[in-house]
Amino acid sequence: MCPLVRCSIVCSISTACGAAPAPVSPAPVPSPPPTLRGVVSYDDGTPAPGATLAVTDLATAGRVIAIATDPDGHFQLALPSGDYALAVTAERGFAWLDKQAVPDPSVRIALSRSCHPLTGRVSSHGPSTLVKAARRSSATGDTFVSPVQADGSFAACLPEAYYNVSLAGETMSTPVDLQVPETTHVELDGVAGDIVRRPPPSTAPIPAELAGLVADITARDPTIIGLGEGTHGTAEFVSARAELTLALVRSAGVRLILFELDAISGVALDDYVNGGDVDLAGAVAALGFWVTDTYEFLRFLELVRDYNANTADKIHLWGVDLQNTALPVGVLTASAAALSIGADEQAALGVVATSRGKEVPNLPAAQRASLSSLLSRLATPRSRARQDLLVAVAARSLALQLEYWNGDMRGQYRRRRDAGMATLASFITSQLGVQRSCLWAHDGHLTKERGLRMVGQNLAANPAVRYYGVGFYLYEGSARAWDAAAKIGVIPHPIPAAPAYTLEGAVMRAAGMPDIAWIPLAGLPAPLLDWLATPRLVRELGAAYTVADDTLTLRRVREAFDAVVVIKHGHDSSPTPTGVRKVTHD
């Protein structure tokens, strides 16, 4: 039996061992000589047969290859020269090498037994299906891979951590978040790649006008409307969301716009749109994010200011993100006397403001209890005045952020941050007493899919909130994002025309290729709804770009969103001088 060798998760996976020879065999092509060769063993020196190595190119953060060791624990493969990360899992151990230089013909990997078994079953799978468990950390390459057996079972031994688990290869699945060792078994619903890549049946042209989407939103009577973006760096995601937001302001009672930015720093933006003497460019630059420091975002804020200048029923802006402790601490200490914050409490707040409160768990128990009591007291607004609401939001922001440091900070960070943003969004909407609010964030935050615990799912699960999510996607164009190795800066990246089997390709073709397709999912024809009953691929790009295939995300679209908006052609967002990000080289 030959060693199991599998291609990367972004290409097809094949096993050619034992295949019958073709009637006419071409001349053999010599295999490239191995550049990485070694042995995997347990800590007692016994070999680890069938251990699976997942290799990641650190220069691109792209998965290169997964390979199983032979009966003696040996492996070899040909890789270009460079630095790689190796993640290894076997029946009774694991290893992770954060940086392995290639070439190297004598790698010895000793597996640690300090891991926990994760077993599972796949509902549908092919002979070369892989389970990949991506550890939530700040590292690159700590994704462990395990083959699915013929009976649909799989097993891996993983270090304690939070993971994003999914299938790769000829069978795919939507991801599931889980914690090891709290979770010991997981069930995954596999979908064959040929089914995922099957375009929808042809239908009569579907309506795709903005008015239809606005009517659907109004009829559903949501409290919070999530407006997503498939990339952080495409200009049209700002202009299209602006168009929908202002349409909802005019006809659906929206009076609050929430953003994926810090609540305290966002106050200056609210002052500006309500006629204040604010340096808008400076206020946006002070947010600190290249994502919002663009001329498109400035133009949207100008449009809101123009609207407010002609009405008594003003639109307000608030942020809901939780990535800064110094700003909310500043709100509380600036009014320490009025808020009856004592000297000891101010000292504790000083610790909170430093390094995002990292040292708070090391405070004496009595001081931590006093701090917790203070934040709890201030979390309830004393009146409906904006300053009192700001104090309450600051206190809630700090309480939520201090929870980051309990347990695995990096592993739980995304889950806690998303839950916190959902909490602040519903709290601010309720306190301001508005009929409806819009929440601008990335599509990945706004999905309602089960198993991911994102902002959208948290809002959808809140009985006090009626949530309506709109995913925004791009058919073709470009987007700004960091280069994979972070050696250049935030630069343009091409987004090719969407294949017919992706959500974007299917929607645009069904709608007749308009400049923008505004699509409530409930109104789709039955054949398209049936097609969407299977998870479908979408293209989503975050702050960094690795390879094109890594933008593909499998989503249960009908569960994730209530509507989708697909933009036919997008362009790079336009950074202001302070929004440019370049790596400086000495």
Side-chain angles (χ1 to χ4, degrees), residues 441-456:
H442 192 274
D443 287 331
H445 285 298
L446 296 181
T447 175
K448 295 186 286 184
E449 287 174 281
R450 60 186 181 274
L452 294 181
R453 305 185 187 182
M454 307 304 287
V455 173

Side-chain angles (χ1 to χ4, degrees), residues 35-276:
T35 56
L36 184 66
R37 185 184 311 165
V39 61
V40 179
S41 61
Y42 290 102
D43 51 12
D44 60 3
T46 59
T52 307
L53 289 82
V55 185
T56 300
D57 185 344
L58 293 178
T60 64
R63 179 112 1 240
V64 175
I65 197 168
I67 182 172
T69 57
D70 69 13
D72 296 319
H74 290 90
F75 66 91
Q76 63 178 31
L77 62 161
L79 295 171
S81 296
D83 291 326
Y84 296 82
L86 306 181
V88 190
T89 184
E91 181 182 358
R92 293 177 285 113
F94 88 100
W96 179 57
L97 283 68
D98 61 344
K99 188 174 183 180
Q100 170 63 52
V102 172
D104 191 329
S106 58
V107 179
R108 291 188 171 274
I109 302 175
L111 299 180
S112 168
R113 295 178 188 268
S114 298
C115 57
H116 307 273
L118 176 69
T119 62
R121 185 164 295 278
V122 178
S123 62
S124 175
H125 65 95
S128 300
T129 302
L130 297 173
V131 175
K132 58 188 183 85
R135 183 163 54 177
R136 296 211 170 278
S137 73
S138 60
T140 298
D142 50 346
T143 295
F144 298 88
V145 173
S146 181
V148 176
Q149 304 302 317
D151 64 356
S153 65
F154 65 89
C157 201
L158 303 175
E160 181 175 351
Y162 286 79
Y163 292 88
N164 183 270
V165 179
S166 60
L167 299 178
E170 63 187 32
T171 306
M172 293 177 275
S173 73
T174 54
V176 174
D177 284 347
L178 55 84
Q179 182 181 3
V180 171
E182 279 70 11
T183 301
T184 59
H185 186 85
V186 62
E187 303 280 336
L188 297 174
D189 296 326
V191 184
D194 60 346
I195 294 177
V196 171
R197 292 183 173 86
R198 186 177 298 164
S202 297
T203 64
I206 61 175
E209 294 78 20
L210 173 62
L213 176 54
V214 172
D216 189 70
I217 293 172
T218 305
R220 297 278 292 277
D221 192 27
T223 309
I224 298 178
I225 306 156
L227 303 183
E229 59 181 1
T231 81
H232 282 314
T234 299
E236 284 75 9
F237 284 135
V238 176
S239 59
R241 286 188 294 179
E243 187 176 359
L244 176 54
T245 298
L246 291 174
L248 293 169
V249 165
R250 295 185 181 97
S251 62
V254 166
R255 290 298 179 271
L256 172 62
I257 307 172
L258 305 167
F259 296 106
E260 188 186 335
L261 54 86
D262 182 79
I264 311 306
S265 60
V267 168
L269 305 188
D270 186 60
D271 288 338
Y272 172 80
V273 300
N274 282 285

Side-chain angles (χ1 to χ4, degrees), residues 37 59 62 157 315 407 440 448 481 554 574:
R37 185 184 311 165
C157 201
I315 304 169
W440 286 32
K448 295 186 286 184
L554 195 64
S574 307

Side-chain angles (χ1 to χ4, degrees), residues 105-487:
S106 58
V107 179
R108 291 188 171 274
I109 302 175
L111 299 180
S112 168
R113 295 178 188 268
S114 298
C115 57
H116 307 273
L118 176 69
T119 62
R121 185 164 295 278
V122 178
S123 62
S124 175
H125 65 95
S128 300
T129 302
L130 297 173
V131 175
K132 58 188 183 85
R135 183 163 54 177
R136 296 211 170 278
S137 73
S138 60
T140 298
D142 50 346
T143 295
F144 298 88
V145 173
S146 181
V148 176
Q149 304 302 317
D151 64 356
S153 65
F154 65 89
C157 201
L158 303 175
E160 181 175 351
Y162 286 79
Y163 292 88
N164 183 270
V165 179
S166 60
L167 299 178
E170 63 187 32
T171 306
M172 293 177 275
S173 73
T174 54
V176 174
D177 284 347
L178 55 84
Q179 182 181 3
V180 171
E182 279 70 11
T183 301
T184 59
H185 186 85
V186 62
E187 303 280 336
L188 297 174
D189 296 326
V191 184
D194 60 346
I195 294 177
V196 171
R197 292 183 173 86
R198 186 177 298 164
S202 297
T203 64
I206 61 175
E209 294 78 20
L210 173 62
L213 176 54
V214 172
D216 189 70
I217 293 172
T218 305
R220 297 278 292 277
D221 192 27
T223 309
I224 298 178
I225 306 156
L227 303 183
E229 59 181 1
T231 81
H232 282 314
T234 299
E236 284 75 9
F237 284 135
V238 176
S239 59
R241 286 188 294 179
E243 187 176 359
L244 176 54
T245 298
L246 291 174
L248 293 169
V249 165
R250 295 185 181 97
S251 62
V254 166
R255 290 298 179 271
L256 172 62
I257 307 172
L258 305 167
F259 296 106
E260 188 186 335
L261 54 86
D262 182 79
I264 311 306
S265 60
V267 168
L269 305 188
D270 186 60
D271 288 338
Y272 172 80
V273 300
N274 282 285
D277 184 14
V278 174
D279 172 13
L280 178 59
V284 169
L287 300 175
F289 299 109
W290 63 265
V291 174
T292 49
D293 201 354
T294 66
Y295 287 109
E296 290 81 18
F297 190 60
L298 294 177
R299 176 56 182 155
F300 170 61
L301 298 176
E302 291 168 353
L303 291 173
V304 177
R305 180 182 171 105
D306 290 343
Y307 177 90
N308 279 345
N310 296 293
T311 182
D313 197 5
K314 309 288 188 185
I315 304 169
H316 289 279
L317 309 182
W318 278 82
V320 297
D321 209 349
L322 300 129
Q323 299 191 80
N324 183 297
T325 56
L327 292 173
V329 165
V331 169
L332 302 187
T333 56
S335 302
L339 297 173
S340 300
I341 301 176
D344 288 345
E345 293 169 327
Q346 291 187 57
L349 287 173
V351 177
V352 174
T354 304
S355 300
R356 298 186 67 184
K358 184 177 182 179
E359 296 302 318
V360 168
N362 298 324
L363 291 175
Q367 196 171 15
R368 292 201 311 272
S370 176
L371 175 63
S372 177
S373 177
L374 170 69
L375 297 179
S376 178
R377 173 172 67 83
L378 298 179
T380 301
R382 297 186 298 183
S383 75
R384 299 185 69 87
R386 189 181 75 165
Q387 180 59 29
D388 287 335
L389 177 57
L390 186 64
V391 166
V393 169
R396 288 170 181 259
S397 174
L398 293 175
L400 290 165
Q401 291 189 72
L402 291 182
E403 283 297 312
Y404 292 167
W405 299 106
N406 291 333
D408 181 354
M409 193 276 195
R410 293 193 180 277
Q412 299 187 71
Y413 177 75
R414 191 195 72 172
R415 180 183 301 181
R416 287 170 167 171
R417 178 184 166 215
D418 275 64
M421 287 196 288
T423 296
L424 284 188
S426 58
F427 175 71
I428 295 169
T429 299
S430 173
Q431 289 297 311
L432 291 179
V434 296
Q435 180 183 3
R436 272 185 258 287
S437 64
C438 286
L439 170 59
W440 286 32
H442 192 274
D443 287 331
H445 285 298
L446 296 181
T447 175
K448 295 186 286 184
E449 287 174 281
R450 60 186 181 274
L452 294 181
R453 305 185 187 182
M454 307 304 287
V455 173
Q457 188 185 36
N458 280 284
L459 289 173
N462 185 345
V465 173
R466 296 183 302 278
Y467 176 66
Y468 186 109
V470 186
F472 279 67
Y473 291 100
L474 179 62
Y475 176 74
E476 66 178 355
S478 61
R480 294 169 61 234
W482 281 96
D483 61 293
K487 292 182 177 180

